Amino acid sequence: MKLKTVRLPKSRRHQPMSARFAHNGHLNLSRLPHRLLIDGEWRDSVSGSTFETLNPATGETLARVAEGDREDINRAVAAARRAFERGPWRRLTPSERGRLLWKLADLLEEHTDQFAEIESLDNGKPRAVACVADVPLAVDLFRYMAGWATKIEGNTIPISVSGADFFAYTRREPVGVVGQIIPWNFPLLMAAWKLGPALATGCTVVLKPAEQTPLSALRLGELILKAGFPPGVVNIVTGYGETAGAALAQHPDVDKVAFTGSTEVGKLIARAATGNLKKVSLELGGKSPNIVLEDADTDTAIAGAANAVFFNHGQCCCAGSRLYVHKKKFDQVVDGVAAAAKKIKLGPGLSADTEMGPLVSEEQLERVMNYLDLGSREGARAIAGGHRKGNRGYFVEPTVLVNAKPGMKVMEEEIFGPVVCAIPFTDVEEVIPAANKNIYGLAAAVWTRDISKAHRIAHELKAGTVWINCYNVFDAALPFGGYKQSGWGREMGHDVLEMYTETKAVCARL
Ligand code: NAI
Ligand code: MG
């Protein structure tokens, strides 16, 4: 996942797309699904409305997709409920569920190039990155979760009630119908993070992709049907957050809602869920501290700090956006990150030499530009970048800010763009509280040769993930999620299974 070293494997570079989608060597977008997947069928929205999804490299329309609303959500939830209570899904063995997930992983892997191209067009990210990160990580997630389907176990419990013999045990049962609302920064991968555990545990799903990037989830819907998941197990309703998303979060017949996105909307989701007290898991924003100690290997730390914040154009909830560097190393490291920033080649995601694409939307461009403007008015100074690039598409130069002080908005708030604040520190006792002093607690990293110190700092950082001498290392087996306002619960690993199961205690008098 290192930004500068991502290259398509040789065997992939000139591989033709599958015939159905070949069109002058490019994806034929009109052949991609653009309707709602409800009860195993592709349907127009009840209102008949559609909305457009844009290519962020040009601002031009890529495709129009169905605009689902409350009524479509109602139908999708009803289909998911039927599939959960009465359909063949419930009677499948865990092994059969696992095999379906494995099949889906195989199908997705076969279509790696196609999905990488869809992600690149819809989100803006380099196709080469999607090919080696987004798609294979999604494939791996489905395989990892396929393995769990047969291992969701309860316990036998020795109870101490006297006067009779009892046999008591627990069962882990699927929580039921799950609403899943996902963002645009890793459209396919976020769909996989959400769908994998829900399907492994036997839940049924209504998935609401982000309005900016609906295309890969819809194409995944086709593969889900092809893999053989019964109708209604996975329903996909594209549409806006304030309408379709809100209807899903409020729905009285949804048992759980899983959300990834902004902390602001996460709070709305939690409130909306109180109607029927549905279970809630939230994966929200971050302002992750990346700490370089005096004894760190300088070159590794520089490359790592650049990757930490510039990967995916900084549109990562775990972006290393506060770079704390020991004062003796500050100039060397920060100049190194600035030099790396200046070398990054910006361009459309489909160009082979592009290292960083555009931001996802005009809204995000404005948001990041506002922060840059605010930062300079507050006294921060850009030693690399600081501007929009060109006036077509939503490109922003990778930016390194110095003179950022606690209390400044650029230091406290999530920018969600390729912008890092670099801050010098004198000793570890000072940097740990500074790193922890933020409303978020998603990720953190420390760079040092002193392994004891590294672990001690890792234990003191209030973050769901701490990387030591690395950054942005994700694995389906590693739980991911946040302390504080970065969310509730964990994605991936076996921890996520708790979010999708209820524990039932069964107690029998013998
Ligand atoms: P958002 O939180 O509004 O959107 C994420 C998802 O939530 C989308 O599917 C959206 O349609 C849905 N949504 C929006 N409002 C909703 C509502 N009232 N009820 C139910 N669902 C709703 O994020 P947005 O506006 O795209 O980006 C704004 C900021 O949020 C970013 O600049 C970034 O700071 C943060 N963000 C964080 C992400 C993360 O991975 N933690 C991902 C995307 C955005
Ligand atoms: Mg929003």
Side-chain angles (χ1 to χ4, degrees):
M1 304 255 296
K2 281 207 194 100
L3 188 76
K4 303 285 290 185
T5 55
V6 165
R7 285 283 177 271
L8 279 180
K10 264 221 174 75
S11 59
R12 283 250 174 81
R13 276 186 212 157
H14 302 290
Q15 205 171 295
M17 310 284 295
S18 81
R20 190 185 155 193
F21 291 89
H23 177 68
N24 303 334
H26 281 301
L27 202 58
N28 184 349
L29 289 162
S30 66
R31 304 293 294 272
L32 289 178
H34 55 274
R35 297 196 286 171
L36 312 176
L37 177 59
I38 296 178
D39 214 3
E41 290 170 10
W42 295 98
R43 300 185 191 169
D44 290 322
S45 61
V46 172
S47 69
S49 303
T50 59
F51 66 100
E52 56 183 13
T53 180
L54 306 178
N55 178 348
T58 61
E60 286 161 4
T61 304
L62 279 175
R64 296 195 71 89
V65 301
E67 185 189 337
D69 201 340
R70 181 172 300 273
E71 193 45 43
D72 306 286
I73 290 289
N74 288 344
R75 290 173 188 210
V77 171
R81 175 59 62 193
R82 278 193 303 277
F84 183 72
E85 305 292 348
R86 292 189 260 123
W89 179 239
R90 224 194 152 95
R91 292 188 299 274
L92 291 189
T93 65
S95 167
E96 286 166 332
R97 283 206 311 274
R99 271 179 281 163
L100 285 175
L101 274 164
W102 198 276
K103 181 84 198 291
L104 177 59
D106 286 347
L107 287 169
L108 183 57
E109 190 170 48
E110 279 166 32
H111 293 87
T112 297
D113 297 306
Q114 190 183 98
F115 275 88
E117 186 158 349
I118 296 172
E119 291 300 69
S120 178
L121 283 167
D122 215 9
N123 162 282
K125 65 182 70 199
R127 172 168 44 186
V129 173
C131 241
V132 297
D134 301 58
V135 186
L137 284 170
V139 169
D140 247 25
L141 189 288
F142 285 130
R143 293 211 174 111
Y144 173 84
M145 289 298 165
W148 270 117
T150 48
K151 296 161 198 75
I152 298 164
E153 299 167 341
N155 293 313
T156 55
I157 317 278
I159 63 171
S160 305
V161 179
S162 52
D165 279 346
F166 292 92
F167 172 51
Y169 59 96
T170 55
R171 283 167 54 79
R172 302 293 295 275
E173 298 182 351
V175 72
V177 174
V178 181
Q180 303 187 316
I181 301 172
I182 55 171
W184 43 259
N185 51 347
F186 295 90
L188 171 72
L189 185 59
M190 291 302 101
W193 280 22
K194 292 282 183 279
L195 291 170
L199 298 173
T201 51
C203 297
T204 61
V205 175
V206 177
L207 177 74
K208 211 278 306 158
E211 56 269 35
Q212 296 84 351
T213 54
L215 297 177
S216 55
L218 292 174
R219 178 68 181 122
L220 185 67
E222 284 189 323
L223 298 190
I224 287 168
L225 296 182
K226 193 168 175 196
F229 285 91
V233 172
V234 176
N235 306 274
I236 303 175
V237 178
T238 47
Y240 291 101
E242 296 75 9
T243 51
L248 189 55
Q250 284 160 12
H251 203 289
D253 201 31
V254 169
D255 300 300
K256 172 200 164 62
V257 59
F259 170 78
T260 297
S262 61
T263 291
E264 185 192 351
V265 173
K267 291 178 184 177
L268 295 177
I269 303 275
R271 253 176 246 140
T274 57
N276 67 336
L277 282 183
K278 58 175 67 69
K279 309 290 182 276
V280 180
S281 53
L282 303 170
E283 202 261 274
L284 309 174
K287 188 78 180 175
S288 299
N290 190 13
I291 305 170
V292 181
L293 301 190
E294 192 184 346
D295 69 345
D297 178 77
T298 308
D299 292 341
T300 323
I302 290 170
N307 169 55
V309 71
F310 298 138
F311 178 64
N312 214 41
H313 326 165
Q315 300 169 132
C316 291
C317 45
C318 55
S321 51
R322 289 184 289 150
L323 176 61
Y324 292 94
V325 186
H326 190 276
K327 68 169 197 262
K328 288 201 183 134
K329 259 198 153 57
F330 186 79
D331 288 342
Q332 207 185 351
V333 169
V334 174
D335 289 348
V337 175
K342 288 175 189 161
K343 269 197 238 140
I344 292 173
K345 176 129 185 24
L346 268 76
L350 291 189
S351 298
D353 59 347
T354 290
E355 290 168 333
M356 186 185 283
L359 299 187
V360 74
S361 65
E362 194 171 357
E363 190 185 345
Q364 286 305 118
L365 172 69
E366 266 170 32
R367 184 187 160 97
V368 173
M369 293 317 298
N370 279 340
Y371 274 112
L372 290 178
D373 186 41
L374 195 65
S376 77
R377 279 190 280 125
E378 285 178 325
R381 185 167 59 85
I383 58 163
H387 306 101
R388 178 178 182 183
K389 173 132 189 193
N391 49 20
R392 183 166 190 254
Y394 314 128
F395 296 91
V396 174
E397 296 170 346
T399 299
V400 178
L401 297 179
V402 293
N403 294 346
K405 301 266 164 359
M408 286 184 184
K409 287 215 177 347
V410 286
M411 272 284 287
E412 307 295 337
E413 297 180 9
E414 180 173 56
I415 299 178
F416 226 64
V419 183
V420 63
C421 294
I423 311 109
F425 70 88
T426 325
D427 72 274
V428 168
E429 301 319 313
E430 156 205 344
V431 78
I432 294 171
N436 283 336
K437 199 165 177 293
N438 191 267
I439 63 164
Y440 297 115
L442 193 57
V446 53
W447 301 79
T448 173
R449 288 190 175 98
D450 182 336
I451 202 69
S452 308
K453 210 183 245 179
H455 287 290
R456 190 175 67 75
I457 295 173
H459 298 183
E460 290 190 35
L461 288 168
K462 293 193 170 71
T465 295
V466 180
W467 285 295
I468 298 174
N469 294 330
C470 60
Y471 210 100
N472 284 336
V473 176
F474 294 98
D475 191 281
L478 258 182
F480 183 81
Y483 281 41
K484 299 189 271 183
Q485 294 192 37
S486 291
W488 290 347
R490 294 293 179 267
E491 312 269 344
M492 305 195 287
H494 57 75
D495 291 59
V496 73
L497 302 172
E498 283 177 26
M499 310 265 112
Y500 287 88
T501 50
E502 292 277 17
T503 300
K504 178 179 283 176
V506 181
C507 179
R509 181 171 175 163
L510 302 180

